[in-house]
């Protein structure tokens, strides 16, 4: 059985290097007994060097990357640089970056560039709101097609899709998506991928969920949501809660 995957999206946290060290240490300790779950920690860039990845158990993720190689691009960090720091995954197309102006076109270029450098893109998609006519479904369909534009069949199985409905991000477990609705959405996303790449390829594209995953809803979402893991924001900053989520998921 393929491993479940849980990605910790620290966003722009914690405030200091000493807090980051402490959090990493606790999470590392908490992952030592996991059997069926792989953990990716995606801290801000300046904390990346604090973690030495452990194969198949705890890996290193980045929260963004730049499409070019080296050069005159002040403030940017390339995928090849990230690779040289043992980064294996990168979160791309997060709604918080889309809100800062990232377009589907740019995200699709970043996906291709990450893959060229041997980094697994965690491609975020998700509607900002739902309407009773269901036009959010057409929105998701278009967002997936545009974001994955140019991605070959061969490379399609090298990405992960993180379905993150924007309305569920940064809230509480009670406002997150229900496992029934998540199940429906993961089938819908899978169907789009079948249309784009065929059944054989689509079955190998992992779909994970993000949006207020906490200890109180993680077990149910992994059991009944038809996803293979989570992208976790605020709950990944609380070491005990995060480790308990990992254990819960591992036992599900
Ligand atoms: P959240 O964030 O768990 O705080 O909702 C998830 C995300 O934005 O990736």
């Amino acid at each position: 059985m393929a491993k479940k995957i849980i990605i910790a999206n620290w966003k722009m946290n914690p405030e200091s290097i000493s807090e980051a060290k402490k959090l990493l240490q606790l999470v590392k300790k908490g992952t030592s007994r996991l059997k069926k779950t792989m953990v990716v920690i995606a801290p801000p860039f300046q904390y990346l060097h604090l973690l030495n990845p452990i194969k198949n158990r705890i890996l290193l993720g980045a929260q963004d990357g730049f499409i070019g190689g080296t050069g005159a691009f002040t403030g940017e960090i390339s995928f090849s640089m990230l690779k040289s720091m043992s980064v294996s995954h990168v979160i791309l197309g997060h709604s918080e970056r889309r809100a800062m102006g990232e377009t589907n076109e740019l995200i699709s270029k970043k996906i291709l560039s990450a893959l060229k450098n041997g980094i697994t893109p965690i491609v975020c998609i998700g509607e900002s709101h739902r309407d009773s006519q269901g036009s959010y479904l057409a929105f998701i369909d278009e967002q997936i097609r545009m974001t994955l534009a140019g991605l070959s069949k061969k490379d399609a199985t090298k990405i992960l899709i993180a379905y993150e409905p924007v309305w569920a991000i940064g809230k509480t477990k009670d406002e997150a998506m229900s496992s029934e609705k998540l199940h429906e959405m993961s089938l819908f996303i899978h169907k789009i991928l079948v249309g784009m790449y065929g059944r054989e390829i689509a079955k190998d594209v992992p779909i994970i969920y993000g949006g207020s995953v906490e200890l109180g809803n993680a077990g149910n979402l992994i059991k009944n949501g038809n996803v293979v893991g989570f992208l976790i924001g605020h709950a990944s900053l609380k070491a005990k809660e995060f480790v308990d989520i990992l254990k819960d998921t591992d036992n599900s």
Side-chain angles (χ1 to χ4, degrees):
M1 202 185 87
K3 282 205 167 196
K4 293 169 197 155
I5 181 161
I6 294 197
I7 295 140
N9 179 9
W10 283 10
K11 307 190 179 184
M12 202 171 74
N13 299 291
E15 209 174 344
S16 69
I17 195 156
S18 58
E19 287 170 89
K21 275 185 187 161
K22 213 158 88 190
L23 182 55
L24 269 179
Q25 217 167 34
L26 291 170
V27 171
K28 216 165 156 177
K29 216 161 95 195
T31 61
S32 62
R33 296 234 170 93
L34 298 179
K35 292 195 171 63
K36 298 176 284 186
T37 310
M38 197 170 76
V39 185
V40 179
I41 308 284
F45 291 123
Q46 78 278 20
Y47 301 149
L48 281 171
H49 68 283
L50 298 176
L51 180 80
N52 281 326
I54 306 170
K55 203 167 179 281
N56 281 331
R57 192 177 115 201
I58 185 159
L59 301 175
L60 201 46
Q63 297 177 17
D64 191 23
F66 184 67
I67 45 177
T70 52
F73 302 105
T74 303
E76 296 293 346
I77 296 175
S78 73
F79 292 107
S80 53
M81 288 172 180
L82 293 171
K83 185 72 187 172
S84 76
M85 290 195 74
S86 308
V87 166
S88 56
H89 290 70
V90 62
I91 299 169
L92 294 175
H94 192 282
S95 58
E96 285 152 18
R97 295 210 58 83
R98 289 180 188 266
M100 287 182 240
E102 281 200 14
T103 59
N104 287 325
E105 289 75 13
L106 177 61
I107 295 158
S108 106
K109 284 186 191 151
K110 288 189 176 187
I111 292 170
L112 301 182
S113 182
L115 284 167
K116 220 164 98 190
N117 287 283
I119 297 181
T120 302
I122 299 152
V123 181
C124 301
I125 51 144
E127 76 282 4
S128 55
H129 59 277
R130 292 206 156 189
D131 56 315
S132 50
Q133 293 83 34
S135 51
Y136 65 92
L137 294 171
F139 173 85
I140 293 285
D141 187 301
E142 181 179 292
Q143 197 183 40
I144 294 179
R145 286 175 201 283
M146 290 182 72
T147 305
L148 301 187
L151 185 72
S152 68
K153 277 191 170 186
K154 187 169 87 20
D155 282 345
T157 56
K158 296 182 187 153
I159 67 162
L160 266 105
I161 300 274
Y163 171 58
E164 294 208 304
V166 183
W167 50 266
I169 292 178
K171 304 272 174 55
T172 66
K173 66 173 177 26
D174 301 320
E175 293 153 285
M177 191 166 227
S178 68
S179 57
E180 296 80 20
K181 288 235 157 48
L182 178 57
H183 197 112
E184 274 170 30
M185 275 317 282
S186 73
L187 291 178
F188 178 73
I189 292 164
H190 178 73
K191 215 170 94 192
I192 297 167
L193 295 172
V194 169
M196 293 173 76
Y197 298 106
R199 222 164 273 284
E200 267 311 291
I201 304 273
K203 74 171 178 21
D204 290 332
V205 183
I207 300 172
I208 64 173
Y209 168 78
S212 299
V213 175
E214 295 181 344
L215 183 57
N217 60 352
N220 182 30
L221 287 170
I222 200 82
K223 268 193 227 112
N224 304 313
N226 198 34
V227 289
V228 298
F230 300 126
L231 179 51
I232 303 182
H234 61 271
S236 72
L237 297 167
K238 299 177 201 143
K240 180 163 173 6
E241 178 167 9
F242 186 61
V243 167
D244 285 345
I245 294 174
L246 295 176
K247 288 180 185 159
D248 231 26
T249 310
D250 204 51
N251 291 328
S252 295

